[in-house]
């Protein structure tokens, strides 16, 4: 009885923020999150979205670029 090879479950995540004058640029990979608060913490803004392969949009993006999700 041969065992199936285990797929690597390691991953990476990162988030980068660049502010130029009045513009804010954010890049993210993985499930890192960027949030911003305003009005003394009374308002919260989500500045990124997770890249999780189990979500439909992300799975389709991965597969459209030749990747696989298992």
């Amino acid at each position: 009885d041969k065992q199936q090879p285990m797929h690597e479950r390691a991953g990476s995540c990162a988030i980068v923020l660049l502010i130029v004058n009045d513009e804010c640029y954010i890049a993210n990979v993985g499930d890192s999150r960027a949030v911003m608060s305003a009005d003394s913490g009374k308002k919260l803004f989500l500045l990124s979205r997770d890249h999780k392969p189990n979500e439909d949009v992300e799975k389709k993006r991965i597969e459209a670029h030749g990747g696989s999700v298992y």
Side-chain angles (χ1 to χ4, degrees):
D1 187 36
K2 290 186 178 184
Q3 289 185 341
Q4 294 294 323
M6 295 273 303
H7 294 290
E8 184 64 42
R9 295 195 179 271
S12 297
C13 62
I15 197 145
V16 177
L17 170 76
L18 174 66
I19 298 174
V20 179
N21 298 321
D22 291 338
E23 298 288 324
C24 177
Y25 301 91
I26 298 169
N28 72 305
V29 174
D31 59 2
S32 295
R33 294 185 185 118
V35 293
M36 179 177 71
S37 68
D39 197 18
S40 298
K42 294 176 186 170
K43 294 181 182 177
L44 182 69
F45 300 93
L46 304 177
L47 303 178
S48 64
R49 92 180 149 77
D50 292 357
H51 293 153
K52 292 185 176 180
N54 59 334
E55 294 180 7
D56 262 357
V57 172
E58 187 62 10
K59 182 178 180 189
K60 287 177 184 175
R61 186 190 70 79
I62 292 167
E63 291 173 341
H65 289 87
S68 298
V69 177
Y70 17 82

